[in-house]
Amino acid sequence: RGDPPGPAGGERITAFVVSNGVHTDLVLPLQAAGIDWRTDFPPAQARAAPADAAWIGFGWGDREFYLHTPTWAELTLRRAWGAAVGANPSLLHVSWLATAQLPPDRTWVISLTPAQYLRLAAHVRASLPRGRAVPIPGAHYGPDDAFYEATGRYHLFATCNTWTGRGLRAAGVTVSRWTPFDFNVTWWLAARGAR
């Protein structure tokens, strides 16, 4: 994984975009540029976060879909329709990750200045109601994740990938103007050699 081209000199902070082929997450260092995400998102809120976690993943999406569709087998027409029309509140899905957990074939590197990183972090924080991380008790997909209340409503024109794209644009990373699908995000990163 090589960093994409960036301005010469100066401190750079590595972050990632991870895609499962449909949904994208922002993956940020657990500590960087004076931000320690463990303050807002203590790893103890996962069932068993990795002891060597160095990264924290953020994905935004529809509450009903997130909580009741852990795999595509659970997808129902009612849930898909509810998400498409913005019928439900949203959640933030947070994962604590060790470096070995980043899938090399679905991970894109982004190299940021501290100022860019702080703008990306501000985007994540702006998704929390009143700036506070409020966990959903007992809501997990696996041992290393948790769900939190979030602002906004998911719908056809504001998807999980739209949320990722907005954050990247706020940080000065080039992606499509509108990013409803994962490839609208990852195509630009792949074009910059961000793998």
Side-chain angles (χ1 to χ4, degrees):
R1 294 182 184 130
D3 284 348
E11 180 188 353
R12 305 296 291 184
I13 296 169
T14 297
F16 304 97
V17 170
V18 175
S19 173
N20 67 6
V22 176
H23 169 92
T24 54
D25 282 349
L26 294 169
V27 178
L28 309 181
L30 207 49
Q31 299 176 77
I35 294 174
D36 186 339
W37 288 109
R38 295 172 299 187
T39 303
D40 297 300
F41 304 98
Q45 290 177 338
R47 289 191 297 221
D52 60 345
W55 308 95
I56 187 164
F58 296 102
W60 177 91
D62 177 85
R63 181 188 188 102
E64 177 74 12
F65 195 97
Y66 257 148
L67 294 182
H68 302 290
T69 316
T71 68
W72 293 114
E74 283 85 19
L75 179 60
T76 66
L77 183 57
R78 183 172 153 264
R79 284 191 190 122
W81 178 253
V85 299
N88 308 306
S90 59
L91 291 181
L92 205 60
H93 180 230
V94 175
S95 303
W96 294 266
L97 303 163
T99 300
Q101 291 176 276
L102 298 171
D105 58 331
R106 295 183 285 119
T107 299
W108 286 263
V109 178
I110 44 179
S111 177
L112 304 168
T113 66
Q116 288 177 305
Y117 178 75
L118 291 174
R119 291 198 300 271
L120 188 56
H123 167 72
V124 173
R125 285 215 168 101
S127 301
L128 300 171
R130 295 172 300 286
R132 291 182 53 242
V134 179
I136 308 298
H140 309 274
Y141 281 164
D144 59 3
D145 73 331
F147 286 91
Y148 295 81
E149 300 288 355
T151 59
R153 287 188 180 266
Y154 180 107
H155 54 78
L156 280 176
F157 302 103
T159 69
C160 53
N161 303 306
T162 306
W163 180 86
T164 300
R166 250 193 340 261
L168 293 173
R169 280 191 301 278
V173 177
T174 301
V175 293
S176 300
R177 286 186 188 169
W178 183 43
T179 54
F181 305 108
D182 78 314
F183 61 81
N184 299 120
V185 176
T186 61
W187 185 90
W188 288 92
L189 301 176
R192 291 175 56 198
R195 261 219 168 129

